[in-house]
Amino acid sequence: MATIELNDPFTGEWTCFLETEHAYDETTDIDDNMCDDIIYKKINNKYYRRILVDDTVNVKWFGAKGDGETDDTQAIKNAIRSSHSVRLDPGQYIINSTIEIPMEFSGLSISGSGSDIWDKNSTILTTKNSNTLFRGAEGLNTFKISNLIFNGKHDDHAITSGTIAMDFTEGGGLILDRVAVKNFSEYGLYSKRGLLRIENCYFRDNKVGAQIYSDSSISNSEFAAGDIPLRLVAGGNRLVNVWCNSGKISCLDIEPLDTNTGHQNTSITNLYIGEVDSPTEAYAIRIRGNDIKRVQQVQISNSFFVHAAGNSINGLVYADKADEIILNGINVLGRGLYSTASDYTSHFIKGINSNRITISSSVINGINKNAIYQGSNCYDWEIFNNVFNNCGDHIAVNDEGANIYVAETLGRTSVIGNKFLVASGSSVPYAAYVSSIDSLNWDSNFISYPNAIIVKDPTYTGSSENNFSGSFYRNGNDFKTINKAALTASYFDHGFVRPNKNLKHAQFFYDNNLKKPIWYDGLDSTWKDSTGTVV
């Protein structure tokens, strides 16, 4: 077949056309109605089709300018309707009315020349109105957007901003790669269909950065600022190497879309969580079910949570109507000794009506009140192998100093293999407050702080001495401890007969006759209670 070379009237480029009777599918016959002088031409009663590289058309062939002034909406629509993948050269393309991505675009892509917000050679899609830019049509499936920027404001001083960058109430299987989305008044991305694949993307300064539906994956991407940077509204999602920070309400919400939507089986690893910019208590991660659908089986691991910015009161994780939540290998940094009355970290995790929560192998630093708050209607929490460092300090008063607080009488809480450390010299922090010692499984925890109280149970005794060891008396466990009476590590034993052989200075013993802990003073060979009185 013969080819001819023609000059493109919009770009000025020379391009080749192939003489043929068939469309690109090689089965459909070309007719006069298909000849648009862009893709198909009729010259001297012969049909020609444009030779495409990678089956891709350029929006400028359809008249788009990309000059930041011309409304390029119709040109981009026409390019998409050509049923070929679409490319946009560097420039700022104005889209002043919504472009629908049809079902026929499934399997195709829209790509720009770059998504670096500081690079003038990037591709920017923007608007001068308050419209949505792209909307997926019903039946649309598996298509890709890459290497471009969605900006809700056509310039930095614009008063009006776009509403939604990408509305996929319909249309699933969206793939985003190297896409930046910013300055939209409602959503950067709104999805009610699953199977999204998002990687190397950047969402910033949208009211809601992205709403993600089920069975989607996000990797190597950042969601920042706005009200809520990221929302996961159905289950089965996977997040790896994701940053969420600087929201005004929260940084990450994990909750069902509605009472008909389940939310199970979400895994998140290598997550960075930053602070919420709020003068009143706000939580960086909110895991919240509703009265019909609870959130279940969420695991967050190998992650870093930080509250570093000033003038905000933050908790880090809030769980309500949530079950089987695992927080494992989390490095937590609260405000600690840098806190003030208007700038502190209240909790690492606070739960209400949430069961079977596991916190394990984490280093929890500088939480100013109860690091773990197991609230009302919360049962079967497991707290294993964590380090609590300088928690319940600086802002806390009274029982806010308990690193672990269990509100329910029968909370069935296990606290095993943890360390509770306080280096500030404060006498406020202590290990745990429980509403009933009978529901606490405590073993092999290491204590190093000035406070005499280890576990406080107000129903067991009003004496701080007995609160020092009530749980150990019940369970009969040995444990290693340091208290203010003798700042030396010892093993704690119990019984009705005091040890009388191989005694060591500051050796502790729970005297079942006195029903309180005592310690051996090797300097004068006497047994004393925690106040130093010989007993």
Side-chain angles (χ1 to χ4, degrees):
M1 293 290 184
T3 61
I4 59 173
E5 192 172 18
L6 300 173
N7 186 263
D8 187 285
F10 292 111
T11 66
E13 299 173 332
W14 289 93
T15 186
C16 292
F17 283 76
L18 175 70
E19 180 187 344
T20 180
E21 296 179 354
H22 300 298
Y24 292 93
D25 61 9
E26 300 295 350
T27 58
T28 304
D29 290 335
I30 301 174
D31 59 30
D32 289 356
N33 292 327
M34 297 171 64
C35 293
D36 56 5
D37 286 332
I38 300 172
I39 303 296
Y40 297 103
K41 289 180 178 286
K42 185 177 183 181
I43 302 173
N44 297 327
N45 292 318
K46 294 180 179 180
Y47 292 118
Y48 295 84
R49 73 184 188 207
R50 196 166 194 151
I51 296 176
L52 303 179
V53 177
D54 297 329
D55 193 34
T56 299
V57 301
N58 192 315
V59 295
K60 289 188 174 180
W61 301 349
F62 298 82
K65 300 295 185 183
D67 58 9
E69 294 297 332
T70 305
D71 186 349
D72 290 323
T73 306
Q74 192 59 50
I76 297 173
K77 282 183 179 179
N78 291 342
I80 290 171
R81 289 171 182 168
S82 73
S83 297
H84 300 281
S85 291
V86 173
R87 176 166 178 81
L88 299 99
D89 291 338
Q92 186 180 49
Y93 297 83
I94 304 296
I95 300 174
N96 281 335
S97 59
T98 301
I99 294 175
E100 183 173 274
I101 314 296
M103 179 178 67
E104 292 75 19
F105 203 75
S106 296
L108 301 175
S109 66
I110 298 172
S111 61
S113 61
S115 59
D116 186 342
I117 60 176
W118 308 110
D119 187 350
K120 67 176 67 176
N121 292 317
S122 294
T123 298
I124 302 171
L125 304 182
T126 187
T127 180
K128 294 184 178 181
N129 295 334
S130 56
N131 57 287
T132 294
L133 270 61
F134 284 174
R135 178 179 291 126
E138 185 175 359
L140 176 65
N141 186 44
T142 313
F143 79 104
K144 184 176 183 178
I145 301 175
S146 63
N147 290 307
L148 53 78
I149 299 167
F150 291 90
N151 192 344
K153 294 186 175 182
H154 70 279
D155 65 54
D156 292 338
H157 305 291
I159 298 174
T160 301
S161 59
T163 306
I164 302 174
M166 295 166 281
D167 180 356
F168 290 98
T169 303
E170 303 292 343
L174 170 66
I175 301 169
L176 295 181
D177 185 13
R178 295 183 298 278
V179 173
V181 186
K182 62 179 185 174
N183 296 326
F184 285 86
S185 63
E186 291 189 9
Y187 292 88
L189 168 64
Y190 182 87
S191 170
K192 286 182 67 176
R193 295 291 182 268
L195 300 172
L196 281 73
R197 300 293 179 262
I198 299 173
E199 56 184 343
N200 307 313
C201 291
Y202 179 61
F203 289 73
R204 185 175 184 86
D205 291 317
N206 308 286
K207 184 175 183 179
V208 176
Q211 174 177 293
I212 307 300
Y213 205 68
S214 65
D215 303 308
S216 299
S217 67
I218 305 175
S219 62
N220 303 319
S221 296
E222 180 173 354
F223 302 81
D227 286 356
I228 304 170
L230 180 60
R231 296 182 69 211
L232 306 179
V233 297
N237 295 299
R238 299 292 180 266
L239 278 64
V240 180
N241 296 336
V242 172
W243 288 257
C244 294
N245 58 282
S246 303
K248 295 177 182 177
I249 295 175
S250 69
C251 294
L252 170 62
D253 281 358
I254 302 173
E255 56 189 356
L257 178 65
D258 50 38
T259 57
N260 296 315
T261 304
H263 205 308
Q264 299 89 23
N265 184 21
T266 285
S267 175
I268 302 173
T269 189
N270 291 350
L271 172 69
Y272 176 89
I273 286 290
E275 52 277 330
V276 182
D277 184 15
S278 173
T280 58
E281 187 177 51
Y283 284 83
I285 300 176
R286 300 187 298 180
I287 306 173
R288 303 182 300 176
N290 55 53
D291 291 338
I292 305 299
K293 297 289 187 179
R294 299 174 70 89
V295 176
Q296 298 173 309
Q297 295 132 19
V298 173
Q299 179 163 334
I300 304 175
S301 61
N302 301 329
S303 297
F304 189 74
F305 298 176
V306 60
H307 177 202
N311 301 315
S312 59
I313 301 173
N314 280 193
L316 295 173
V317 181
Y318 180 81
D320 182 12
K321 302 181 182 68
D323 306 316
E324 294 95 42
I325 310 301
I326 298 174
L327 302 174
N328 176 68
I330 312 297
N331 199 324
V332 179
L333 180 61
R335 295 294 287 153
L337 298 180
Y338 295 99
S339 60
T340 67
S342 60
D343 175 23
Y344 62 87
T345 312
S346 57
H347 307 288
F348 168 40
I349 178 171
K350 179 177 181 178
I352 304 294
N353 191 13
S354 297
N355 307 307
R356 299 175 297 284
I357 310 298
T358 297
I359 302 104
S360 62
S361 303
S362 296
V363 179
I364 304 166
N365 292 284
I367 303 299
N368 295 115
K369 295 186 178 181
N370 310 121
I372 296 176
Y373 186 94
Q374 181 180 336
S376 60
N377 298 309
C378 289
Y379 303 96
D380 302 306
W381 286 34
E382 311 290 330
I383 304 165
F384 298 152
N385 302 322
N386 304 285
V387 176
F388 296 83
N389 186 46
N390 293 325
C391 294
D393 196 8
H394 205 235
I395 293 296
V397 295
N398 301 324
D399 295 324
E400 292 175 341
N403 286 199
I404 299 169
Y405 189 100
V406 182
E408 281 292 339
T409 303
L410 296 176
R412 299 191 298 266
T413 307
S414 293
V415 182
I416 299 174
N418 303 279
K419 288 185 177 180
F420 300 89
L421 312 174
V422 177
S424 68
S426 171
S427 60
V428 174
Y430 64 95
Y433 176 101
V434 294
S435 296
S436 173
I437 211 72
D438 294 330
S439 189
L440 177 67
N441 179 22
W442 176 287
D443 195 8
S444 302
N445 297 289
F446 182 85
I447 312 295
S448 178
Y449 51 63
N451 198 329
I453 300 172
I454 291 180
V455 177
K456 183 174 182 180
D457 174 3
T459 66
Y460 181 74
T461 176
S463 166
S464 61
E465 289 183 355
N466 286 339
N467 284 327
F468 178 80
S469 60
S471 66
F472 310 107
Y473 165 62
R474 173 181 176 272
N475 291 335
N477 293 320
D478 294 336
F479 66 100
K480 198 171 186 180
T481 186
I482 295 176
N483 88 331
K484 67 179 181 181
L487 299 177
T488 306
S490 299
Y491 282 95
F492 192 94
D493 203 355
H494 73 99
F496 289 94
V497 179
R498 299 176 187 179
N500 56 23
K501 295 181 179 179
N502 301 318
L503 297 177
K504 298 178 181 179
H505 179 67
Q507 178 175 335
F508 278 88
F509 178 75
Y510 188 91
D511 191 312
N512 286 352
N513 295 302
L514 298 177
K515 296 193 179 302
K516 66 179 180 180
I518 58 177
W519 62 282
Y520 183 73
D521 189 342
L523 300 178
D524 59 12
S525 300
T526 60
W527 286 95
K528 298 178 180 179
D529 63 20
S530 61
T531 66
T533 302
V534 176
V535 293

